[in-house]
Amino acid sequence: MAQGEVEAFEELYARTVTRVYGVIRRVLLDRALSEDAAQDVYVQVWFNAYKYNPDAGSPMTWLLMIAHRRAVDRVRSEQRFIGRNLKYEMLSRFHEYDPVPALVDRLAAAEAIGRCLGSLTTLQYESPCLLRRTHLYRRGCRA
């Protein structure tokens, strides 16, 4: 198979896919992720068959080691993904309060009130003050 023999690869796949998938499924628990990881294992075996060393163990041992490592890599990848998402969510929820927009709004409102007050006649401007004084006078207070 190290020379890219398709029939040998097909036989290896047929004889080992159940065990490879089982090892991966026990680690990942998710069917779709397990299927993807198993496919990755066989792609890796196809391209790296020349790296197999018979002195290090049987072909099944080598294959199951690759499968287990691939599954663990997927778990770590998922954990990093979840960690990044949680960190982003926490940062986006609890951002520091920025007082500048509120101050800009208050200044704009004050300028608008100033423009409105500047356009009032003297009688219009003094009417609220007169009403206040009258109300206070009737209650027994002096302004």
Side-chain angles (χ1 to χ4, degrees), residues 22-30 34 67-68 70-73 75:
V23 165
I24 294 170
R25 183 69 190 258
R26 279 192 297 277
V27 174
L28 292 179
L29 305 177
D30 181 82
S34 298
H68 186 264
R70 178 65 60 170
V72 169
D73 287 346
V75 168

Side-chain angles (χ1 to χ4, degrees), residues 4 10 16 33 48 61 88 97 110 117 124 132-133 136:
E10 288 173 348
T16 61
L33 287 176
N48 295 305
T61 302
Y88 174 76
Y97 174 70
L117 289 174
Q124 290 171 327
R132 183 174 171 270
R133 284 188 193 136
L136 288 175

Side-chain angles (χ1 to χ4, degrees), residues 59-105:
M60 182 58 87
T61 302
W62 180 67
L63 188 58
L64 294 178
M65 179 193 65
I66 292 171
H68 186 264
R69 286 182 180 170
R70 178 65 60 170
V72 169
D73 287 346
R74 285 287 175 101
V75 168
R76 289 178 181 150
S77 176
E78 288 292 315
Q79 287 173 340
R80 284 191 303 271
F81 176 76
I82 291 168
R84 281 192 304 270
N85 283 350
L86 286 175
K87 184 177 178 180
Y88 174 76
E89 186 176 320
M90 294 299 289
L91 289 175
S92 64
R93 272 193 193 170
F94 302 109
H95 58 81
E96 291 185 27
Y97 174 70
D98 185 6
V100 174
L103 290 173
V104 168
D105 289 343

Side-chain angles (χ1 to χ4, degrees), residues 110-126:
E111 288 175 0
I113 291 170
R115 283 192 304 276
C116 289
L117 289 174
S119 69
L120 296 176
T121 65
T122 303
L123 181 61
Q124 290 171 327
Y125 183 79
E126 291 178 357

Side-chain angles (χ1 to χ4, degrees), residues 32-69:
L33 287 176
S34 298
E35 289 171 358
D36 284 347
Q39 180 179 354
D40 290 346
V41 167
Y42 285 104
V43 169
Q44 182 178 353
V45 166
W46 176 257
F47 287 108
N48 295 305
Y50 68 92
K51 292 182 180 179
Y52 169 69
N53 180 3
D55 297 332
S58 72
M60 182 58 87
T61 302
W62 180 67
L63 188 58
L64 294 178
M65 179 193 65
I66 292 171
H68 186 264
R69 286 182 180 170

